[in-house]
Amino acid sequence: MNKIQIAIHGGAGTILRSQMDPEKEKQYLHGLTQALEAGYAILKKGGASMDAVEAAVTSLENFPLFNAGRGAVFTHTGTHEMDASIMDGKTLEAGAVCGISNVQNPVQLARMIKEHSGHVLLCGKEAEVFAKKMNLPFQPDEYFFEEGRYRQWQEVKDTERYQLDHTDAKDEKKFGTVGAVALDMHGNLAAATSTGGMTNKRYGRIGDTPIIGAGTYANNATCAISCTGHGEYFIRAVVAHDISCLMEYKGYTLKQACDYVVKDKLVKMGGEGGLIAIDAKGHVELVFNSDGMYRGWMQNEKAEVRIYED
Ligand code: ASP
C-alpha cells in the first residue's frame, strides 16, 4: 500500500496563546480533529483523495467557528458570500465557485462544477441555480449567523475597512478560511479550500480561495496546496501554482518551495498568511508567516492538531 496522508487548515493570523479563551481553544482543536478524521477514514478505506478533501472541508464548513460555510463572515450589507474550489492532481481538473449565498457546503458545489458543468469557475446567483439543479442543500440566512462574527461586523460595518477573520477591529492581521490536501493509496493528490472571505467586504470582492493556482492547486507530478491569508497578495503571487512550478521546473523539494514562497517572497510583498501542502511521497508542510495557523495532519494514525507557532 502506498502512503496515505491528509492535512487541513482553519486559517492563519495573529493567533496568540495569550489571547485565546481555553474553552474556545478546545472547540477549535475538536473541530480540526473531527475534520481530519473524516478525511482520513476515507483514505484508509482506499478512497480517493478528492473524496477525502471534500469530506474534511465539508466538516470544517459545518463547524461554526471557522470562516467558511456555516461560520462565514458578514459582508458590508450583512449577507454571507462564500467562495470555494477543489482540484484533482491526477487529471488537473478543477471546480470553483465565488460569491454564493445560502449553499450549505460550497466545496460540494465546487466539486459538482468540476464534474457536471463543463466549466471551472461559476459565480453568484447563477451558480446557485446550478447548485439547485444538482440538488445540493440550501440553508436560510439564520443558519449562517454566528455571534462572534456578527460582533466583528458591527465593529467595522460603518467604516471603509475590510477585516480578516480570527480578529477584532484593532488588529486586522488574522485570516479565516479552511482547506485540505490529501494523498490517497493510488498516489493521487487533491486540494480543496473554502471561505467566507473578509468581514465587511463589498463590491463583490473575491479573494484567492476560488482562484485555481492562487489559493488552491494540485498536480500529481508535484504537490497539492491550500492557502489562507490576505487573498489579494496570494492572487498576485499566484502562490499555490508558484510552489508547484518551483518543484517542477527547478527541482525544489516541497519544503524548499513552501519556505521560499511563504517566508521570503510573500513577506517581501507584505502578504501575510500560510498554507498546507503535500507531495506525492506524502511529505506534509504546514507553513505560515503569521503568528499562528489552525492546522492538523495525521501521524501514526493519530490526528495532530496545532494552533500556535510552537
Ligand atoms: N484568503 C481568504 C481571502 O482573502 C481569506 C482567508 O484566508 O481568511 O478571501
Side-chain angles (χ1 to χ4, degrees), residues 19 32 50 90 97 129 135 140 158 160 167 171 177 179 223 239 243 255 271 274:
Q19 287 170 8
L32 290 170
M50 283 292 285
K90 180 181 173 196
V97 65
V129 171
N135 291 319
D158 298 322
E160 290 290 312
T167 188
D171 177 0
T177 297
C223 59
V239 168
I243 291 173
K255 181 169 172 33

Side-chain angles (χ1 to χ4, degrees), residues 164 175-177 195 197 205 207-209 228-231:
L164 288 143
F175 312 95
T177 297
T195 192
R205 181 266 180 190
D208 59 315
T209 301
T228 172
H230 197 151

Side-chain angles (χ1 to χ4, degrees), residues 227-228 234 239 243 256-268 271-276 286-290:
C227 301
T228 172
F234 280 67
V239 168
I243 291 173
Q256 285 169 334
C258 291
D259 282 349
Y260 172 67
V261 173
V262 177
K263 296 187 175 160
D264 187 347
K265 185 173 170 177
L266 270 175
V267 171
K268 284 179 184 147
E272 192 176 343
L275 56 85
I276 52 170
L286 305 100
V287 196
F288 47 99
N289 61 31
S290 46

Side-chain angles (χ1 to χ4, degrees), residues 46-101:
S49 52
M50 283 292 285
D51 294 331
V53 294
E54 182 182 333
V57 170
T58 295
S59 170
L60 292 162
E61 286 177 339
N62 293 341
F63 193 77
L65 290 184
F66 295 113
N67 172 21
R70 186 166 194 177
V73 295
F74 286 84
T75 65
H76 187 67
T77 53
T79 60
H80 304 277
E81 287 173 9
M82 301 172 286
D83 311 327
S85 62
I86 191 164
M87 184 157 182
D88 184 344
K90 180 181 173 196
T91 59
L92 302 185
E93 287 170 355
V97 65
C98 62
I100 48 155
S101 300

